[in-house]
């Protein structure tokens, strides 16, 4: 029977930052470095979006500054983070299904010994697969605060989406 580890510690860091920024508190540079250096954030980094890009965008948001000469990925990351700041109740409604996610019923369907499902705030890509790791862009989760429909990614319920991706590993 497979072991499935759900990791949302990066989301917890971002939730702290979003809440602090929404309350007009300044985010320290050490927090920005901690987030940028987190091992699960590496999936976002390439020639168009680096650790420096992440720090630059989050610093601009924290300081309420505009960004100039940014890449498409930096722009999307900025927009996604600003979206979270618009309504913290909505942000919490998106995080809730991640925190309550239970994938135990999928364990018998999987062939490897261990899997990781990692949630990170991303930019463009919906997900990444790295060995036994499924990395999901948190910003792709859709919820409706006004009804009880399950969280979705695209046209699939979150759990079904994860199952499909894990089975493809």
């Amino acid at each position: 029977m497979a072991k499935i580890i759900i990791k949302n510690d990066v989301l917890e860091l971002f939730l702290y930052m979003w809440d602090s920024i929404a309350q007009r508190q300044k985010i320290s540079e050490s927090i920005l470095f901690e987030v940028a250096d987190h091992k699960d954030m590496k999936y976002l980094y390439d020639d168009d979006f680096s650790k420096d890009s992440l720090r630059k965008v989050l610093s601009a948001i924290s300081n309420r500054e505009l960004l100039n000469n940014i890449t498409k990925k930096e722009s999307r990351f900025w927009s996604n983070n600003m979206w979270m700041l618009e309504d913290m109740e909505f942000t919490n409604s998106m995080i809730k299904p991640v925190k309550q996610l239970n994938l135990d019923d999928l364990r018998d369907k999987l062939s490897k010994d261990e899997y990781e499902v990692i949630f990170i705030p991303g930019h463009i890509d919906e997900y990444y697969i790295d060995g036994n790791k499924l990395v999901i862009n948190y910003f792709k989760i859709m919820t409706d605060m006004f009804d009880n429909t399950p969280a979705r990614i695209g046209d699939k319920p979150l759990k079904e989406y994860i199952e499909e991706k894990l089975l493809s590993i």
Side-chain angles (χ1 to χ4, degrees), residues 90-129:
F90 181 73
T91 301
N92 289 327
S93 80
M94 287 177 63
I95 287 180
K96 184 178 178 183
V98 172
K99 288 184 174 184
Q100 294 177 343
L101 188 61
N102 183 333
L103 301 173
D104 287 347
D105 59 322
L106 303 180
R107 296 177 347 161
D108 290 335
K109 298 178 183 180
L110 301 170
S111 60
K112 296 187 179 185
D113 290 336
E114 184 174 293
Y115 296 81
E116 287 184 25
V117 178
I118 304 166
F119 291 90
I120 60 171
H123 39 62
I124 294 175
D125 296 324
E126 198 170 83
Y127 71 95
Y128 309 86
I129 292 179

Side-chain angles (χ1 to χ4, degrees), residues 15 18-19 22 83-97 138 143-146:
L15 186 58
W18 294 327
D19 188 53
W83 175 41
M84 294 297 100
L85 295 171
E86 287 177 15
D87 183 353
M88 288 304 293
E89 190 174 327
F90 181 73
T91 301
N92 289 327
S93 80
M94 287 177 63
I95 287 180
K96 184 178 178 183
Y138 161 79
T143 61
D144 188 336
M145 292 183 349
F146 305 108

